[in-house]
């Protein structure tokens, strides 16, 4: 209760608001594959072969761990991170998930994680008149959540409502003490969205080049070599 003009009025406390945001974004969770992943699980030696990939991976890892360490300052600056590389399998989802997990573990931060496609589809699902959640309620939660991780930005087909929803979410988040962490297969300037969205993302997140090399492929290669080796020798 709070006094307002001599009257006592009920106000929502922070924790109630936090719970409401979590409920509305309950679909937005870190993928099971990465649910316990930490930044130390992002390996470099033996995982990337090209010199340029090793250099990029070192910058990615260092910026991720420093970002977690200086989270309070980054939040006050309203700055997130934007990891990009054209190559799939290069560790972007692993890295953004690890940052999310560490922010939860170290600061009990409120973290929600979704691919851009999942987020937009969830918003579209609310257009249905039978939907439990109203469109503005879900968008409101995406605007206010303390840490929003948007994976695979720019990878989905742009539909009629895409620009409006992304603009609405980014335009609110850029002005609040919340942060957004993105992964994408393209640079911010090459995103298939309106300039008004790209210019906001440019301000709200620091772009970082992720390696242009697939760890998934080299892991598969290594595994197959080991199995073949054991078939031939064992
Ligand atoms: N630096 C890394 N250290 C350890 N495993 C990695 C690394 N990069 C990628 N992987 C593994 O390779 C696979 C693909 O990584 P992912 O993060 O999904 O790539 P991207 O999101 O860039 O497509 C995952 O199984 C992940 O665990
Ligand atoms: Mg990915």
């Amino acid at each position: 209760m709070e006094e307002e003009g001599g009257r006592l009025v009920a106000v929502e406390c922070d924790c109630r608001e936090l719970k409401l945001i979590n409920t509305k974004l309950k679909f937005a969770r870190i993928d099971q594959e990465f649910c316990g992943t930490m930044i130390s699980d992002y390996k470099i030696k033996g995982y990337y072969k090209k010199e340029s990939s090793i250099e990029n991976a070192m910058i990615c890892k260092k910026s991720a761990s420093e970002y977690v360490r200086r989270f309070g300052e980054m939040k006050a600056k309203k700055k997130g991170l934007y990891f990009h590389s054209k190559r799939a399998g290069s560790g972007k989802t692993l890295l953004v998930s690890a940052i999310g997990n560490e922010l939860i573990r170290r600061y009990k931060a409120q973290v929600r994680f979704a691919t851009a496609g999942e987020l937009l589809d969830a918003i579209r699902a609310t257009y249905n008149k039978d939907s439990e959640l109203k469109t503005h309620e879900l968008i409101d939660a995406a605007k206010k959540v303390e840490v929003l991780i948007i994976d695979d930005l720019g990878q989905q087909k742009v539909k009629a409502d895409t620009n409006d929803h992304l603009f609405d979410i980014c335009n609110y988040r850029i002005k609040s003490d919340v942060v957004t962490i993105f992964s994408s297969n393209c640079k911010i300037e090459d995103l298939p969205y309106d300039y008004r969205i790209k210019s906001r993302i440019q301000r709200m997140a620091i772009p970082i080049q992720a390696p242009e090399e697939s760890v998934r492929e080299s892991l598969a290669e290594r595994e197959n070599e080991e199995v073949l080796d054991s078939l031939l020798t064992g």
Side-chain angles (χ1 to χ4, degrees):
M1 299 293 262
E2 206 170 71
E3 198 165 328
E4 196 185 271
R7 282 184 312 134
L8 281 179
V9 289
V11 287
E12 275 188 11
C13 81
D14 276 1
C15 62
R16 186 170 137 73
E17 167 132 61
L18 290 182
K19 272 196 197 136
L20 278 174
I21 293 173
N22 275 341
T23 314
K24 286 169 194 157
L25 292 173
K26 65 172 178 287
F27 71 93
R29 295 183 168 279
I30 289 175
D31 202 272
Q32 206 171 357
E33 182 186 353
F34 298 118
C35 69
T37 303
M38 294 291 145
I39 295 169
S40 57
D41 295 314
Y42 183 83
K43 307 283 186 209
I44 299 176
K45 214 169 145 232
Y47 283 69
Y48 299 100
K49 293 178 195 152
K50 290 193 291 183
E51 203 52 50
S52 59
S53 303
I54 294 170
E55 222 171 89
N56 289 330
M58 281 166 64
I59 295 170
C60 283
K61 190 168 184 170
K62 172 91 177 162
S63 45
S65 53
E66 281 302 298
Y67 186 88
V68 170
R69 192 174 72 79
R70 293 165 61 177
F71 178 57
E73 186 190 334
M74 295 298 124
K75 228 178 96 175
K77 285 194 160 89
K78 306 174 176 41
K79 284 285 179 199
L81 300 169
Y82 182 100
F83 294 100
H84 63 93
S85 75
K86 289 194 202 77
R87 205 57 203 258
S90 70
K92 299 182 290 296
T93 300
L94 182 155
L95 196 59
V96 294
S97 305
I99 295 173
N101 287 330
E102 298 223 2
L103 292 176
I104 295 170
R105 197 170 67 171
R106 271 176 81 160
Y107 305 102
K108 294 194 170 51
Q110 185 186 38
V111 177
R112 293 281 118 178
F113 175 106
T115 64
E118 284 166 352
L119 182 61
L120 290 163
D121 283 347
I123 295 173
R124 285 178 194 125
T126 63
Y127 297 169
N128 188 322
K129 65 172 174 22
D130 298 329
S131 165
E132 250 175 58
L133 213 57
K134 294 198 175 64
T135 307
H136 76 88
E137 289 177 324
L138 178 51
I139 291 180
D140 210 46
K143 285 175 176 175
K144 291 179 178 166
V145 63
E146 185 181 13
V147 180
L148 180 62
I149 303 179
I150 303 184
D151 198 24
D152 287 339
L153 185 71
Q155 240 144 290
Q156 22 322 107
K157 237 171 75 206
V158 179
K159 298 188 185 160
D161 55 357
T162 304
N163 278 297
D164 287 344
H165 292 324
L166 286 178
F167 177 78
D168 199 11
I169 294 167
C170 290
N171 195 40
Y172 185 94
R173 294 186 67 79
I174 203 171
K175 296 180 215 153
S176 321
D177 281 353
V178 295
V179 295
T180 318
I181 294 167
F182 301 90
S183 95
S184 175
N185 66 340
C186 67
K187 292 184 177 159
I188 300 175
E189 58 265 36
D190 298 331
L191 284 168
Y193 308 131
D194 289 354
Y195 174 73
R196 62 193 177 130
I197 297 168
K198 294 193 267 188
S199 62
R200 277 169 179 74
I201 295 176
Q202 239 141 13
R203 268 191 53 212
M204 63 205 274
I206 305 155
I208 299 169
Q209 171 74 59
E212 292 291 0
E213 190 175 334
S214 171
V215 168
R216 193 186 274 128
E217 271 172 31
S218 38
L219 285 178
E221 249 172 56
R222 197 189 318 168
E223 200 177 276
N224 288 347
E225 272 165 24
E226 279 168 15
V227 176
L228 182 61
D229 221 38
S230 86
L231 284 176
L232 298 177
T233 56

